[in-house]
Amino acid sequence: MSKQTSRQKTSSEDARAPRILILHGPNLNLLGRREPEIYGHRTLGDIHAAMEARGRAAGVQIESYQSNSEGELIDRVQAAAVEGIEFIVINPGGYTHTSIALRDALAGVAIPFIEVHLSNIHAREAFRQHSYFSDIAVGVICGFGAQGYELALDAALARIRRS
Ligand code: CA2
C-alpha cells in the first residue's frame, strides 16, 4: 500500500478546495520499473507529481493512493465519501476485469469517477476487454499512457467547475 500527499501546505490544500482522489490498483506500484513497452517509463511518483502540480494550478487538492489489496481500495473509496471527496480518477488495474466488490463500493458512494487505463485494453487480450466499471463511470480514457491521468484530471476539473 502506498499513499502520497503533499509535503508542503499550498493554496490548493485550502480546506475549501475541492478534493480529487487518484486511485491506483494492483501492481501499478511497479510502473516505470517493469514492462515499459506496455506501460511506459513514468513511475507512480512521476504521475503523482504531475497531477499535484496540475491540481495546485487549478486550486484543487489532489490525493493519490495505491494498493495491491481489493479490500484496502474499497476502504479508501468508502472513506472518500466520509471525507467529502468530490471526484475520483481510478485505474483499477487487474481488478478492472474481476472486481464486482470495488464496483459496488464506487456505485455505493456515488462519487463521480473516470476510469483510466495506460494501455488500450480493447487492443489486448479478450479478458481485458470487459470492465466492471465502465458503465457506471462518467467516462473512460485508455491507451494514452500516463497522459491519460492528465486528460482525466482536466475532464474532472471541467466537471467540478460546471457543478
Ligand atoms: O492498462 C492499464 O492501465 C491496466 O489497468 C493495467 C493493469 C492491467 O491488468 C489492465 O488490464 C490494464 C496491470 C497493471 C500492472 O502494472 C504493471 C506495471 C508495470 C509492470 C508490471 C505491471
Side-chain angles (χ1 to χ4, degrees), residues 132-146:
Y132 277 104
F133 299 85
S134 302
D135 63 308
I136 58 167
V138 171
V140 183
I141 296 171
C142 75
F144 294 98

Side-chain angles (χ1 to χ4, degrees), residues 11-78:
S11 57
S12 70
E13 290 176 85
D14 186 302
R16 292 154 303 172
R19 293 174 66 194
I20 298 178
L21 175 63
I22 319 294
L23 276 180
H24 305 278
N27 297 308
L28 289 162
N29 54 311
L30 300 175
L31 271 187
R33 304 181 212 288
R34 303 256 204 297
E35 300 189 78
E37 66 289 354
I38 303 177
Y39 298 117
H41 291 275
R42 286 168 76 186
T43 66
L44 218 52
D46 296 336
I47 292 170
H48 175 70
M51 300 290 272
E52 199 179 45
R54 228 177 176 81
R56 192 180 307 122
V60 303
Q61 201 175 324
I62 301 293
E63 186 170 327
S64 300
Y65 181 84
Q66 188 276 333
S67 177
N68 292 329
S69 152
E70 189 175 23
E72 286 178 353
L73 290 164
I74 291 167
D75 287 345
R76 189 66 196 85
V77 168
Q78 292 186 5

Side-chain angles (χ1 to χ4, degrees), residues 67-143:
S67 177
N68 292 329
S69 152
E70 189 175 23
E72 286 178 353
L73 290 164
I74 291 167
D75 287 345
R76 189 66 196 85
V77 168
Q78 292 186 5
V82 177
E83 294 165 8
I85 296 276
E86 290 201 23
F87 206 97
I88 294 174
V89 172
I90 181 168
N91 182 347
Y95 290 140
T96 304
H97 321 295
T98 64
S99 184
I100 296 171
L102 185 53
R103 172 205 168 94
D104 287 346
L106 285 159
V109 298
I111 298 172
F113 72 92
I114 295 175
E115 177 184 352
V116 171
H117 299 285
L118 296 147
S119 62
N120 179 356
I121 56 174
H122 302 290
R124 299 185 65 190
E125 302 96 321
F127 66 83
R128 295 190 201 275
Q129 294 174 26
H130 173 259
S131 164
Y132 277 104
F133 299 85
S134 302
D135 63 308
I136 58 167
V138 171
V140 183
I141 296 171
C142 75

